[in-house]
Amino acid sequence: MLQERFWTMLKQALENQGKAVTIYGGKSVKVISQNYYQNSKGNKNIGLKYPVGQYASMNICMYINLYSWVHYGLRVCDEQGNAINRQDIKSDVASSLSEGNAVANKKDDWIVCYYNDEQRA
């Protein structure tokens, strides 16, 4: 399956760069690739994530997500690795980044979120 190959290759490339990558939306690349097509529309958030730093003693993680589009961005994670809403951190950090262009950018649990838009080059 093409999607499984995409996630496998991306995960391997990130790990080769020393990233501590974890899968979310399922237990393995194979499972998330299958779940995307089997889950209902509201349950299609799958992808990879890895920590990029800390802010105000909270972990900031890079998420690479598939929900209709492949998009990527930063989220605050709790001690269990779950994305959480921290408006104070979002306000502080997002102001130093270019504005996100993905729909998820407007959600409270994303600091910033992008998708590839060749029209905005």
Side-chain angles (χ1 to χ4, degrees):
M1 172 185 280
L2 180 61
Q3 189 176 140
E4 185 176 345
R5 185 173 175 204
F6 167 78
W7 290 118
T8 299
M9 292 179 72
L10 180 58
K11 183 176 185 288
Q12 184 175 9
L14 291 167
E15 288 174 340
N16 288 344
Q17 293 181 6
K19 310 293 187 212
V21 179
T22 56
I23 298 165
Y24 70 92
K27 295 182 181 194
S28 69
V29 166
K30 183 174 184 130
V31 169
I32 66 171
S33 299
Q34 292 171 343
N35 285 352
Y36 183 79
Y37 298 102
Q38 295 172 356
N39 289 356
S40 64
K41 185 174 181 182
N43 295 312
K44 290 187 180 281
N45 288 302
I46 62 163
L48 306 175
K49 66 179 180 175
Y50 58 92
V52 294
Q54 287 196 319
Y55 188 87
S57 74
M58 300 296 295
N59 290 322
I60 306 295
C61 292
M62 169 63 75
Y63 273 68
I64 304 165
N65 189 53
L66 177 60
Y67 184 84
S68 297
W69 299 87
V70 173
H71 53 280
Y72 55 95
L74 301 174
R75 300 173 97 175
V76 179
C77 293
D78 63 16
E79 296 81 23
Q80 292 76 37
N82 300 311
I84 59 172
N85 176 3
R86 283 291 303 262
Q87 283 298 315
D88 57 330
I89 295 174
K90 180 175 182 163
S91 297
D92 287 347
V93 175
S95 63
S96 64
L97 302 168
S98 62
E99 185 176 346
N101 62 350
V103 172
N105 190 64
K106 296 176 182 162
K107 300 203 180 237
D108 291 338
D109 61 346
W110 284 85
I111 294 172
V112 65
C113 189
Y114 306 97
Y115 76 95
N116 182 48
D117 183 358
E118 294 175 6
Q119 302 299 320
R120 292 183 66 185

